[in-house]
Amino acid sequence: MRTRPLKVALLGCGVVGSEVARIMTTHADDLAARIGAPVELAGIAVRRPGRVREGVPAELVTTDATALVKRGDIDVVVEVIGGIEPARSLITTSFDHGASVVSANKALVAQEGAALHAAAEQRGADLYYEAAVAGAIPLVRPLRESLAGDKVNRVLGIVNGTTNFILDRMDGSGAGYSEALDEATALGYAEADPTADVEGFDAAAKAAILAGIAFHTRVTLDDVHREGITEVTAADIASAKRMGCTVKLLAICERAADGRSVTARVHPAMIPLSHPLASVREAYNAVFVEADAAGQLMFYGPGAGGSPTASAVLGDLVAACRNKLAGATGPGESAYSRLPVSPMGDVITRYHISLDVADKPGVLAQVATVFAEHGVSIDTVRQQGKDGEASLVVVTHRASDAALSATVEALRRLDTVRDVASIMRVEGEERPGNGPAETHQRVSGE
Amino acid sequence: MRTRPLKVALLGCGVVGSEVARIMTTHADDLAARIGAPVELAGIAVRRPGRVREGVPAELVTTDATALVKRGDIDVVVEVIGGIEPARSLITTSFDHGASVVSANKALVAQEGAALHAAAEQRGADLYYEAAVAGAIPLVRPLRESLAGDKVNRVLGIVNGTTNFILDRMDGSGAGYSEALDEATALGYAEADPTADVEGFDAAAKAAILAGIAFHTRVTLDDVHREGITEVTAADIASAKRMGCTVKLLAICERAADGRSVTARVHPAMIPLSHPLASVREAYNAVFVEADAAGQLMFYGPGAGGSPTASAVLGDLVAACRNKLAGATGPGESAYSRLPVSPMGDVITRYHISLDVADKPGVLAQVATVFAEHGVSIDTVRQQGKDGEASLVVVTHRASDAALSATVEALRRLDTVRDVASIMRVEGEERPGNGPAETHQRVSGE
């Protein structure tokens, strides 16, 4: 084993950073054995040195992150600051000074991944970010490396713990959104300002990263259609239950049937209770992957929190350090496919639509005509009368989002339709052409 | 991109091999893009050339596997023959001639992993075997690389599809073992001679491989305690249901509480229905991993079949080819921990024991005394009378397998105990010291 240690600079020392520092100290011997050389924490850059947690070596703390990454003797920089700046500048400066980078920064990777990968490649450095997607769950490495010889067709994930906790509570107790959010906040699962989570921004960044890696093409945050969970009602959850479904906030990345384009979106959706994602409870994350040869895979675990995120960071740190020792680099960006990202209108899925309608004859015929005129085929309709009013619940066959939107617009113009009470997509059912042939593997030589 | 292709020799062309050949042809462009050079199938060694499947290029087929791997121009050898010989000799010959090896051979890796890794390292070659454990499910790479900075404490897996199918059927229909095995055979989930699956040999090989990788120590097939499912009865399944459990054949690899030894075992066990492994149906596989920092992770997917296994082989092939191009090697064996493997007697778990006893006063007291004398603490007892006979169902607190065995031996000697009808371990409950702190991750900066 080499005795000169590899030097690591840590940028940020909050919940994740302090856990990274702690594990680097307590597991130093294990890390050295796995890397083939000792690894040394050479400096920790923080904004407010007075607030550094107990156990973090005070003598390593600095407020000058730029000077730290410019020292010239740093082998790997671990960036757990988050946000776009100063993280972006610090990472490119790190590459300029010969360091590889391990980042947990989903927003930055989703927005600037291509530029960062290019900067890394130009300097012969590594850029790893397993921690940016679903915390401790190994996803980036399995998608990029384990499935490197396969063709991924779809990624369907619960990648935000806060929203899964809220929806799980709504499903379990019948609570409304606000009530469930309050509980999540009280228990520490939601932040004081929950916007990034409940409006789907956090999940959208992860969807962009997953889509890029899964389909070997560039997908940025702006390419991802995004809807949050703030408008999900107790009635939606109840409707889902009647259909044998539950409501989850899903990140969905799909390759088009013709293989020539991809889509990426985040929105609440109904999924059948029989789908493995339906039983993902509380703040857990899980990602379901469908590949040509592998079939259906699922990865499950804690999607956030200091320790799990630190675990992912340290896995990447070991890889980056091993590469440094070997004078090699890991698999960088793989974007050779150059597939366009189609707009939401092109997405094909099923819809569950609740309409409040006038309780008189002929309404169903009128509504059905509007669906037919827009080429949206109806699977089932349920009609319910209540106190002079009536409601129609329509579940469609697969249709494009554009056709569905046009249908809904036309429905709103009907005098007999008082309100389009809710529209929710139905996901996680068998996809044509990617079906059960792969789901029931016969054993052969197992 | 380099234009001279990397050359691949394929040893074996059955269900998996022919699928590897097919994907190498149909996905040639994708593989080239991911590797950075084209990859060419240079030869296919088979035993019976007359039986090669349609679509496999006949001009590449040879019966002389040794000559193929000795050609000298082969970059990577893919071994999907299975069994110990000639696979072992062919792999070492491949290393001798400068090739890296991708293998799907669980029996060989479980028995000879250390020697094969040493041979690879000596020649600067790679040895990959993701396909040897749980087919397409990425496990070897996540354990070895993604969790390289963490400390794995336990691996709990359903790693044999045949037995899971049988137990799932028994659980679903109340069928007995033979009936469920017949159904599995008829549907192609069990082989004509199901011994390797139902007696747990297949799962034991995978347990050895998983334990070695998870704990950075050497574990071979001989170190794994093995019990199959042939003695699981419909009554056991019914008892499990009454306890809110189901019965699964589990591969369990554990680090001892003091960290100084490990255990590896395969046996049927009751697990709570709330455990994520309980809902793994049919022939699917899933592996649950508990790590210090990451918490609880689960990996789920098809554990066998031509396409899924080929997917895993191809992921490894891409890695081996990339390393060849870079003049580097991937992470080899990591066995620095050198932890002894403790015998089954040292394993600590809970037990569910059914006794047929004489229906007379004082029997429960006698039985309870035997447990107490052996230091096995009783959690619950259920007493049932039936036609002059009575049964006692005892669930213990955590005890060592040695203490439990001694208890059972003493129970058999009691006149009042007519039969020890069944003994089954209870697994998948929270482990002391590795508990819920990690299971409910609070969100922080997610």
Side-chain angles (χ1 to χ4, degrees):
Chain A
M1 189 188 288
R2 193 179 91 155
T3 50
R4 187 171 69 76
L6 287 150
K7 293 195 176 174
V8 175
L10 179 58
L11 310 182
C13 202
V15 179
V16 177
S18 57
E19 192 60 15
V20 169
R22 186 189 68 75
I23 298 174
M24 283 185 66
T25 309
T26 55
H27 290 196
D29 291 348
D30 284 344
L31 290 171
R34 290 168 204 186
I35 290 166
V39 58
E40 176 189 304
L41 196 47
I44 303 171
V46 300
R47 264 187 307 170
R48 289 178 293 246
R51 291 176 58 179
V52 166
R53 283 153 201 256
E54 224 177 304
V56 173
E59 67 281 10
L60 297 179
V61 172
T62 170
T63 53
D64 192 345
T66 307
L68 176 58
V69 300
K70 279 186 172 173
R71 266 172 50 166
D73 65 339
I74 301 296
D75 294 291
V76 181
V77 171
V78 172
E79 183 270 307
V80 288
I81 304 173
I84 304 302
E85 284 296 350
R88 172 171 51 187
S89 305
L90 289 168
I91 289 175
T92 51
T93 306
S94 302
F95 291 142
D96 289 345
H97 289 79
S100 287
V101 171
V102 174
S103 171
N105 192 329
K106 61 205 147 253
L108 181 59
V109 174
Q111 187 177 309
E112 304 285 336
L116 294 176
H117 271 298
E121 197 182 347
Q122 199 190 335
R123 300 291 181 162
D126 274 327
L127 170 63
Y128 283 105
Y129 42 85
E130 183 67 77
V133 185
I137 310 173
L139 270 175
V140 174
R141 186 170 280 105
L143 278 171
R144 179 166 273 158
E145 303 181 37
S146 305
L147 291 169
D150 205 332
K151 189 177 157 206
V152 175
N153 293 311
R154 182 150 69 160
V155 177
L156 198 68
I158 295 168
V159 294
N160 179 275
T162 305
T163 48
N164 200 59
F165 182 89
I166 293 170
L167 292 171
D168 188 32
R169 277 299 182 274
M170 290 174 72
D171 187 84
S173 69
Y177 168 74
S178 309
E179 198 183 325
L181 172 60
D182 287 348
E183 189 182 348
T185 310
L187 292 171
Y189 289 109
E191 298 190 65
D193 176 359
T195 311
D197 294 317
V198 299
E199 294 293 359
F201 290 100
D202 173 83
K206 292 165 180 170
I209 298 172
L210 286 171
I213 294 170
F215 304 135
H216 303 272
T217 194
R218 286 193 181 139
V219 180
T220 68
L221 188 51
D222 295 339
D223 296 320
V224 182
H225 173 86
R226 179 190 52 74
E227 298 169 32
I229 64 162
T230 54
E231 288 173 27
V232 176
T233 63
D236 291 331
I237 307 266
S239 292
K241 281 195 177 170
R242 271 196 297 275
M243 282 183 63
C245 287
T246 187
V247 175
K248 295 288 187 189
L249 182 71
L250 296 180
I252 305 174
C253 313
E254 283 180 315
R255 191 189 290 275
D258 67 4
R260 294 203 189 139
S261 62
V262 299
T263 53
R265 51 192 164 117
V266 167
H267 55 70
M270 296 181 181
I271 53 168
L273 290 174
S274 59
H275 194 284
L277 288 178
S279 53
V280 176
R281 288 279 132 74
E282 307 231 306
Y284 272 94
N285 282 197
V287 176
F288 197 77
V289 176
E290 295 175 8
D292 254 8
Q296 304 184 324
L297 304 172
M298 191 172 80
F299 305 80
Y300 166 96
S307 292
T309 309
S311 171
V313 165
L314 284 158
D316 282 351
L317 179 63
V318 169
C321 287
R322 284 182 44 86
N323 290 343
K324 275 273 170 192
L325 283 185
T329 52
E333 191 191 22
S334 169
Y336 66 87
S337 288
R338 293 170 211 278
L339 298 169
V341 184
S342 299
M344 189 62 191
D346 289 3
V347 165
I348 310 280
T349 188
R350 294 177 67 203
Y351 301 83
H352 177 283
I353 303 140
S354 298
L355 305 170
D356 292 336
V357 296
D359 191 7
K360 58 185 185 188
V363 174
L364 176 54
Q366 267 191 323
V367 166
T369 303
V370 169
F371 276 89
E373 282 169 357
H374 292 85
V376 178
S377 167
I378 291 175
D379 181 14
T380 60
V381 183
R382 201 178 61 243
Q383 218 171 164
Q384 281 176 319
K386 46 170 190 185
D387 309 332
E389 292 229 329
S391 74
L392 280 182
V393 175
V394 178
V395 180
T396 74
H397 285 298
R398 287 165 58 81
S400 75
D401 221 76
L404 195 280
S405 296
T407 306
V408 169
E409 216 171 289
L411 287 171
R412 286 193 209 276
R413 283 195 302 264
L414 288 183
D415 286 344
T416 47
V417 172
R418 304 225 169 109
D419 190 22
V420 180
S422 96
I423 306 167
M424 197 169 286
R425 298 177 187 92
V426 183
E427 304 283 346
E429 300 173 307
E430 285 303 338
R431 190 189 184 199
N434 192 23
E438 292 293 351
T439 70
H440 298 285
Q441 297 303 333
R442 300 302 163 90
V443 174
S444 184
E446 186 192 33
Chain B
M1 191 188 284
R2 194 178 91 156
T3 51
R4 188 172 70 73
L6 288 150
K7 294 194 175 172
V8 175
L10 180 59
L11 309 183
C13 202
V15 181
V16 176
S18 57
E19 192 59 14
V20 169
R22 188 189 67 75
I23 298 175
M24 282 185 67
T25 309
T26 55
H27 290 197
D29 292 348
D30 283 345
L31 291 170
R34 290 167 204 187
I35 290 166
V39 57
E40 179 189 302
L41 197 47
I44 304 172
V46 299
R47 264 187 307 171
R48 290 177 293 245
R51 290 176 59 179
V52 165
R53 281 150 202 255
E54 225 177 303
V56 173
E59 69 279 11
L60 298 179
V61 172
T62 172
T63 53
D64 192 344
T66 307
L68 177 59
V69 301
K70 279 185 170 172
R71 265 171 52 165
D73 65 339
I74 302 295
D75 294 291
V76 181
V77 171
V78 172
E79 182 270 307
V80 287
I81 304 172
I84 303 302
E85 283 296 349
R88 174 171 50 188
S89 305
L90 289 168
I91 288 175
T92 50
T93 308
S94 302
F95 291 142
D96 289 344
H97 288 79
S100 286
V101 172
V102 174
S103 172
N105 192 328
K106 62 205 146 253
L108 180 59
V109 175
Q111 187 178 309
E112 302 286 337
L116 294 177
H117 270 298
E121 195 182 349
Q122 199 190 336
R123 298 291 179 160
D126 273 327
L127 171 64
Y128 283 106
Y129 42 84
E130 183 68 77
V133 185
I137 309 174
L139 270 174
V140 176
R141 186 169 279 105
L143 279 171
R144 179 166 272 159
E145 302 182 39
S146 305
L147 291 169
D150 205 334
K151 190 178 157 204
V152 176
N153 293 311
R154 181 151 68 158
V155 177
L156 197 68
I158 295 168
V159 294
N160 180 275
T162 304
T163 48
N164 200 59
F165 183 89
I166 293 170
L167 292 172
D168 187 32
R169 277 297 183 275
M170 290 174 72
D171 185 84
S173 69
Y177 168 75
S178 311
E179 197 184 325
L181 172 61
D182 288 347
E183 188 183 347
T185 310
L187 291 170
Y189 289 109
E191 299 190 66
D193 176 0
T195 310
D197 294 318
V198 300
E199 294 293 359
F201 290 100
D202 172 84
K206 293 165 180 171
I209 298 172
L210 285 172
I213 294 170
F215 305 135
H216 303 272
T217 194
R218 286 191 183 141
V219 180
T220 69
L221 189 51
D222 295 337
D223 297 320
V224 182
H225 173 86
R226 181 190 51 75
E227 298 170 31
I229 63 163
T230 54
E231 289 173 28
V232 176
T233 63
D236 290 331
I237 307 264
S239 293
K241 280 195 180 173
R242 270 196 298 274
M243 281 184 64
C245 287
T246 186
V247 176
K248 297 287 186 190
L249 182 70
L250 297 180
I252 305 174
C253 312
E254 283 181 315
R255 190 190 291 276
D258 67 4
R260 294 203 188 140
S261 63
V262 299
T263 53
R265 51 194 164 114
V266 167
H267 55 70
M270 296 182 182
I271 53 168
L273 290 174
S274 59
H275 194 283
L277 288 177
S279 52
V280 176
R281 289 279 133 73
E282 308 229 306
Y284 273 92
N285 282 198
V287 176
F288 197 77
V289 176
E290 295 176 6
D292 254 6
Q296 303 183 326
L297 303 172
M298 191 173 78
F299 304 80
Y300 166 95
S307 291
T309 309
S311 172
V313 165
L314 283 158
D316 281 351
L317 179 63
V318 168
C321 287
R322 283 182 43 87
N323 291 341
K324 275 274 169 190
L325 282 185
T329 52
E333 190 191 23
S334 170
Y336 65 88
S337 288
R338 295 168 208 278
L339 298 168
V341 183
S342 299
M344 189 61 192
D346 289 2
V347 164
I348 310 280
T349 189
R350 295 177 66 203
Y351 301 84
H352 176 283
I353 302 138
S354 298
L355 305 171
D356 292 336
V357 295
D359 191 7
K360 58 183 185 190
V363 174
L364 176 55
Q366 266 192 322
V367 166
T369 303
V370 170
F371 276 89
E373 282 169 358
H374 292 85
V376 177
S377 166
I378 290 175
D379 181 14
T380 60
V381 183
R382 203 177 58 244
Q383 217 171 161
Q384 281 177 320
K386 45 170 189 184
D387 310 329
E389 291 231 327
S391 74
L392 280 182
V393 175
V394 178
V395 181
T396 74
H397 285 296
R398 287 165 58 80
S400 75
D401 221 76
L404 195 279
S405 297
T407 307
V408 169
E409 217 171 287
L411 287 171
R412 288 193 207 277
R413 284 195 302 263
L414 287 184
D415 288 343
T416 48
V417 171
R418 306 228 167 106
D419 189 23
V420 179
S422 99
I423 306 166
M424 197 169 287
R425 297 175 188 92
V426 184
E427 303 284 345
E429 300 174 308
E430 285 303 338
R431 188 190 184 198
N434 190 24
E438 292 294 350
T439 70
H440 298 285
Q441 295 304 328
R442 300 303 161 91
V443 174
S444 184
E446 188 192 33

